[in-house]
Amino acid sequence: MGQAAEDEGRRAVAGAAPAVAAAFEADAEIGQARDLARSFLMDAQAVHGLPVSERAMGMVLLVVSELVTNARKYAPGPCLLSLELGDGAVEVTVWDSDPGLPSVGAPDAGRIGQHGLEIVMAVCRSFAMHREPVGKRITAAVVLADDRAATRPAEVLAASMMSAPGASVWPRPPSPVAR
């Protein structure tokens, strides 16, 4: 990903929510996607004065890493990553060229690997998958500010998910946050 592509993705539209987007080719490192997300959230704090908790930073980096890794692993060609701020959350969207929607297996503490989407779904406020005319788009929203009364740490969610055979972790009811 070149600097021109990164600058192109950062152009602001008057009145629009802060957003950034980038394409990642087959030889791109997943770390570049995480770096873009980290930089975007740091700008959200410094430039826009938005609260971004350490938990939110870590969860966004985890979600970006999992979704971009899946796109790179299972779909040919480039993938597109976009991040957009709005309604107290960052929306992470990844598009890839494979029209097949991923399946999330039932929680199974004995299974080695393939828990990424389960974890993403557990730590996000919302999660959606859509087929597109070419490929698919997966979108997950991560709340930016901590609300300890309404949000459990990701480690507790992941542990409870892995240890409760047959338990459904999605859809998760919305947290009761005063607006």
Side-chain angles (χ1 to χ4, degrees), residues 98-119:
D98 183 355
L101 298 179
S103 61
V104 179
D108 178 2
R111 184 174 67 228
I112 305 298
Q114 297 189 340
H115 292 285
L117 282 179
E118 292 174 65
I119 294 168

Side-chain angles (χ1 to χ4, degrees), residues 27-53:
D27 60 349
E29 294 291 326
I30 304 303
Q32 291 176 313
R34 286 191 302 269
D35 291 345
L36 179 66
R38 183 180 299 106
S39 174
F40 178 69
L41 291 176
M42 291 172 69
D43 286 352
Q45 287 178 306
V47 176
H48 301 284
L50 295 173
V52 178
S53 69

Side-chain angles (χ1 to χ4, degrees), residues 1-171:
M1 178 178 73
Q3 186 63 39
E6 188 172 322
D7 291 343
E8 179 73 22
R10 288 183 182 265
R11 287 192 182 152
V13 175
V20 66
F24 295 94
E25 299 294 333
D27 60 349
E29 294 291 326
I30 304 303
Q32 291 176 313
R34 286 191 302 269
D35 291 345
L36 179 66
R38 183 180 299 106
S39 174
F40 178 69
L41 291 176
M42 291 172 69
D43 286 352
Q45 287 178 306
V47 176
H48 301 284
L50 295 173
V52 178
S53 69
E54 281 187 47
R55 178 210 50 83
M57 178 71 78
M59 291 303 102
V60 168
L61 296 179
L62 171 71
V63 169
V64 164
S65 185
E66 289 294 335
L67 295 182
V68 172
T69 296
N70 285 352
R72 306 291 308 120
K73 187 174 181 179
Y74 298 111
C79 70
L80 304 175
L81 167 67
S82 68
L83 302 143
E84 184 173 354
L85 295 173
D87 195 28
V90 61
E91 192 170 87
V92 177
T93 301
V94 174
W95 171 90
D96 68 48
S97 62
D98 183 355
L101 298 179
S103 61
V104 179
D108 178 2
R111 184 174 67 228
I112 305 298
Q114 297 189 340
H115 292 285
L117 282 179
E118 292 174 65
I119 294 168
V120 167
M121 291 168 63
V123 301
C124 292
R125 175 169 70 188
S126 63
F127 179 86
M129 296 184 281
H130 302 279
R131 281 193 179 89
E132 297 290 334
V134 175
K136 69 178 163 295
R137 177 175 37 96
I138 298 179
T139 303
V142 178
V143 175
L144 292 174
D146 282 341
D147 179 0
R148 292 292 180 201
T151 306
R152 298 185 334 191
E155 303 82 42
V156 174
L157 283 169
S160 66
M161 178 182 65
M162 300 304 177
S163 65
S168 175
V169 296
W170 197 256

